[in-house]
Amino acid sequence: MKNEIHPDYHEITVEMTDGTTYTTRSTWGKPGDTLKLDIDPTTHPAWTGGAHRLVDTGGQLAKFNKRFSGLGLKN
């Protein structure tokens, strides 16, 4: 194994969206840095099973619905 080719592996603090924190080891940042999450398992619908919302930016959702309206899909 080659020396000095691996990134520094050190302890950081991870802050969840609800403010709780935990310490883990990572190559991200510098030793002692805090990684603040925008999305985590307590808030993301993939883990919580929450309702899905589609955000239409620039009419893309309307364009998709118009294009595929004849396939029997319901809005």
Side-chain angles (χ1 to χ4, degrees):
M1 183 184 283
K2 293 182 181 179
N3 290 330
E4 299 183 20
I5 64 167
H6 299 284
D8 179 35
Y9 193 61
H10 50 271
E11 285 191 357
I12 64 166
T13 302
V14 177
E15 184 177 330
M16 308 283 267
T17 56
D18 64 357
T20 59
T21 60
Y22 65 92
T23 303
T24 189
R25 294 179 51 85
S26 175
T27 58
W28 180 87
K30 297 178 181 148
D33 280 354
T34 300
L35 175 62
K36 295 183 180 185
L37 300 179
D38 293 331
I39 298 174
D40 63 31
T42 62
T43 60
H44 195 278
W47 288 285
T48 62
H52 297 279
R53 287 188 298 159
L54 297 175
V55 178
D56 190 7
T57 56
Q60 291 186 11
L61 182 58
K63 192 183 306 181
F64 176 87
N65 287 336
K66 180 179 177 185
R67 183 175 179 188
F68 294 106
S69 63
L71 293 178
L73 300 175
K74 296 186 179 187
N75 296 348

